[in-house]
Amino acid sequence: MDVLIRYGFSMEEIKNMMENNTEIESIPDKNIYEMIDILGSVGCLSNHIKNIMYSNPYFLSKNPKDIKKLIQKLLSLKLTHLEILFDTNPYLLNSSETEIQKIIKQKEKEGLKEEEIKDYFYYHSDEIF
């Protein structure tokens, strides 16, 4: 949890995050650093990362390997600007690679083309989660 203080969160912000996700207290700093690095690897800046973690503290409890798989799935759709996608809908990070695949299949069945499915994730992903 010390990493959150070093990352610039106030004690009040950390308290609010912990009220939403009681597991935060037991998450090793190493894991939080890894999550920060993962977000940074897709272009998230410090302000994006802070917004994502504050808005969706459950993200910190996820397995970093699962987050990497999710990101790989999103990148396989040729989605760009994941930093904006995650900043505008941080709850997308709570989904799994499998859930994303189901959404893609569903949208294909509805007749959406690849470009329309990409747009769906940018403009309607808040409906998913």
Side-chain angles (χ1 to χ4, degrees):
M1 186 169 65
D2 289 342
V3 67
L4 296 175
I5 295 168
R6 287 191 293 274
Y7 207 72
F9 285 98
S10 70
M11 290 307 290
E12 185 66 28
E13 289 171 320
I14 294 170
K15 179 182 169 199
N16 290 338
M17 291 167 67
M18 289 175 66
E19 285 176 4
N20 287 310
N21 181 0
T22 56
E23 294 177 19
I24 288 177
E25 196 169 8
S26 63
I27 300 171
D29 283 355
K30 175 182 149 270
N31 287 27
I32 296 174
Y33 277 124
E34 187 171 1
M35 294 303 229
I36 291 169
D37 289 344
I38 290 169
L39 291 175
S41 74
V42 295
C44 290
L45 302 174
S46 180
N47 62 322
H48 297 131
I49 295 169
K50 204 170 170 193
N51 288 340
I52 291 165
M53 290 192 301
Y54 187 73
S55 299
N56 180 15
Y58 297 101
F59 159 72
L60 295 172
S61 299
K62 299 282 287 183
N63 184 320
K65 290 178 184 177
D66 292 338
I67 296 296
K68 288 178 183 179
K69 287 179 186 177
L70 169 68
I71 289 171
Q72 287 302 343
K73 186 63 181 172
L74 293 172
L75 290 173
S76 76
L77 292 172
K78 300 179 184 109
L79 292 175
T80 57
H81 303 291
L82 292 182
E83 73 279 9
I84 295 169
L85 182 62
F86 294 149
D87 192 31
T88 57
N89 186 5
Y91 297 102
L92 186 60
L93 288 160
N94 292 348
S95 61
S96 69
E97 170 191 18
T98 306
E99 290 170 320
I100 297 298
Q101 186 60 43
K102 285 180 186 176
I103 292 166
I104 293 167
K105 294 290 184 198
Q106 175 191 354
K107 294 302 170 189
E108 287 172 343
K109 284 181 184 177
E110 292 174 11
L112 271 65
K113 305 282 187 245
E114 182 179 332
E115 216 40 54
E116 294 170 314
I117 293 171
K118 286 169 55 173
D119 287 346
Y120 177 80
F121 279 96
Y122 285 113
Y123 301 111
H124 301 287
S125 63
D126 59 330
E127 297 170 6
I128 302 168
F129 309 98

